[in-house]
Amino acid sequence: MALKELIEIKFRLADGNDIGPNKYTPSTTVASLKEKIIAQWPEDKDSGPKTINDVKLINAGRILENNKTLGESRLPVAEVPGGVITMHVVVRPPMNEKARDKLQDDSLKKGGCACTIL
């Protein structure tokens, strides 16, 4: 694989700290990026994500979908050769059982799916 095919990405946390940069192939899924973020989450931070569903990745104003690859997400090409793409990480605050049930009920009323992820 040619080195120029790799995409260099760093993840900006809400407090301004970064995870990375690291290089990824265009076939890397957004879900696997989220798993890496969870694994590399700073230990001194209190409210870290527990699952990939607790994390949203935002690039160029768009929320990236878990099932898409970096190539499918059409990341903007870095303007400077060797440039690093910065993605913003948003963590969903922890919810108690009652709030989670209400969110699921509201989703069902709007025609959403009552899927449980195991």
Side-chain angles (χ1 to χ4, degrees):
M1 171 182 304
L3 205 50
K4 66 182 179 180
E5 292 179 19
L6 295 177
I7 302 168
E8 193 167 11
I9 301 172
K10 70 179 175 182
F11 303 100
R12 176 75 36 97
L13 306 180
D15 65 359
N17 288 323
D18 293 334
I19 295 176
N22 292 302
K23 294 183 180 185
Y24 303 95
T25 64
S27 62
T28 303
T29 64
V30 172
S32 67
L33 289 178
K34 290 180 177 184
E35 289 170 353
K36 290 179 189 273
I37 290 169
I38 292 169
Q40 295 178 16
W41 194 263
E43 292 181 15
D44 60 335
K45 306 257 181 266
D46 289 338
S47 58
K50 304 291 185 234
T51 69
I52 64 170
N53 293 324
D54 294 339
V55 178
K56 288 188 181 185
L57 285 181
I58 302 173
N59 181 259
R62 292 186 1 220
I63 297 173
L64 303 182
E65 299 176 33
N66 288 346
N67 60 342
K68 302 273 184 172
T69 65
L70 291 176
E72 293 169 336
S73 297
R74 295 185 213 157
L75 299 178
V77 177
E79 293 180 13
V80 179
V84 178
I85 295 173
T86 301
M87 292 189 183
H88 294 270
V89 179
V90 177
V91 178
R92 180 184 309 201
M95 290 190 287
N96 61 28
E97 295 268 339
K98 188 175 182 179
R100 190 177 4 252
D101 290 344
K102 180 176 180 354
L103 183 65
Q104 189 174 23
D105 289 345
D106 290 346
S107 175
L108 286 174
K109 289 176 186 174
K110 294 178 184 175
C113 175
C115 305
T116 304
I117 299 174
L118 302 175

